[in-house]
Amino acid sequence: MESLLLLLKELETTELQRSPQPGHASRRRPAHTRWTFTHLGLGSTVAALAPLHVPDESSYEQVDRVLYQAVEGFAAAEDRPEIPSDWTMHAANFGKAVARTLGASRDVGMRLALRINGDVVAEAEVTERTRRHLQEAVRARYASLGSRRGHLGGLSDAKEKLRAVLWSEVGHERIPLICDKEQREQLRQAWGHDRVEVTGRITENAQGQVVSIKVEEIELLPIEPSLSDDDLRGGFWPDMTGGLGALDYLAVIRGEA
């Protein structure tokens, strides 16, 4: 149960950081939902969990999304060895601990279900297979130098640990950023900007999902397209073609010029 509550806390943090809000950038300890049991029988294998108090930063609609992400994440992890959509690497580790308790074997486990207004809107069977898939998903396999574009959706500077996340433009991944203390001011300037490009050492798992980026540089990107309407209609980018027009550039590619 402790691991499940930690998973819900991590997913709620992700949801709160999805849309940058300048007023919450420097919060040292963001508030989280408190939970309670609405049903727990002695010796029973059935228990029901519900929100007891929802903080001002969140809402019941947001809590419903968090619960939905948790249940759907377990369903996805039961099916394939990937970090579920909207889960972080930390969430996957908490989920692995939950699955270790709930999953008796590869074929026998416990059922999780989300009920809203009495209707089941999501459900998952958590078996030993879930734990194995999550364990495989969080294992770092490849490292390379590169960059990802997106926006910074979360920044915290608590207990001398500088943490940030990047919501990528492609795939909408939530990527943890490993930052040095010297990058504090650079991160603060980039935080809340619509588009940034983060360059550094990228660590991926076996499925090609980015586990983390050790940040070397953060570049602010223009919000509006830098090309003219004529350039966009022409279907080419002068910076990539050396200033050549579409026909001239195609001739170079074909070896005709």
Side-chain angles (χ1 to χ4, degrees):
M1 182 54 63
E2 181 180 357
S3 297
L4 180 59
L5 293 176
L6 288 173
L7 170 61
L8 295 177
K9 181 179 179 180
E10 176 70 14
L11 292 176
E12 186 172 26
T13 298
T14 301
E15 193 64 29
L16 291 173
Q17 293 176 342
R18 186 183 295 274
S19 300
Q21 300 176 16
H24 297 156
S26 59
R27 290 189 66 98
R28 298 183 65 85
R29 292 190 175 210
H32 292 89
T33 298
R34 297 201 306 268
W35 301 88
T36 185
F37 286 105
T38 60
H39 172 79
L40 182 62
L42 182 63
S44 173
T45 57
V46 178
L49 196 65
L52 175 65
H53 172 73
V54 177
D56 294 338
E57 296 92 333
S58 187
S59 65
Y60 280 97
E61 291 77 12
Q62 208 161 38
V63 170
D64 285 344
R65 287 197 296 271
V66 168
L67 292 170
Y68 184 83
Q69 290 166 3
V71 177
E72 284 293 288
F74 278 116
E78 177 72 14
D79 184 57
R80 55 192 178 274
E82 293 182 359
I83 297 176
S85 176
D86 291 315
W87 283 34
T88 63
M89 184 175 63
H90 293 302
N93 278 314
F94 293 139
K96 184 175 64 173
V98 174
R100 182 182 298 113
T101 304
L102 299 184
S105 69
R106 293 188 179 183
D107 301 312
V108 178
M110 296 288 285
R111 176 177 173 267
L112 291 180
L114 171 61
R115 290 181 179 271
I116 298 180
N117 298 325
D119 298 325
V120 176
V121 298
E123 60 182 339
E125 188 82 11
V126 182
T127 70
E128 170 66 12
R129 187 182 295 107
T130 302
R131 185 194 67 80
R132 290 176 180 270
H133 282 171
L134 289 174
Q135 181 174 334
E136 180 68 18
V138 299
R139 185 177 300 158
R141 288 292 183 89
Y142 310 108
S144 61
L145 297 178
S147 65
R148 291 291 187 276
R149 292 184 175 188
H151 74 268
L152 297 179
L155 173 62
S156 65
D157 191 4
K159 297 182 179 180
E160 300 301 319
K161 287 187 178 182
L162 190 60
R163 299 178 58 188
V165 295
L166 177 74
W167 287 100
S168 66
E169 289 183 348
V170 178
H172 199 60
E173 293 180 279
R174 184 185 187 274
I175 304 173
L177 303 180
I178 303 173
C179 314
D180 294 328
K181 294 180 180 179
E182 292 75 14
Q183 296 168 322
R184 180 178 286 107
E185 189 58 34
Q186 187 182 20
L187 277 170
R188 290 187 181 278
Q189 291 176 359
W191 187 85
H193 196 273
D194 281 350
R195 298 182 69 230
V196 297
E197 181 169 5
V198 176
T199 303
R201 182 181 176 87
I202 299 175
T203 302
E204 298 176 304
N205 62 15
Q207 288 70 42
Q209 294 175 298
V210 179
V211 175
S212 65
I213 298 180
K214 177 67 173 68
V215 178
E216 294 185 0
E217 182 182 2
I218 300 177
E219 179 184 357
L220 301 182
L221 299 177
I223 301 172
E224 299 296 331
S226 58
L227 304 181
S228 68
D229 290 341
D230 289 339
D231 289 335
L232 292 172
R233 280 194 294 268
F236 65 94
W237 187 4
D239 288 349
M240 296 179 64
T241 64
L244 297 176
L247 295 178
D248 293 336
Y249 187 61
L250 286 174
V252 171
I253 294 176
R254 293 167 178 164
E256 300 171 354

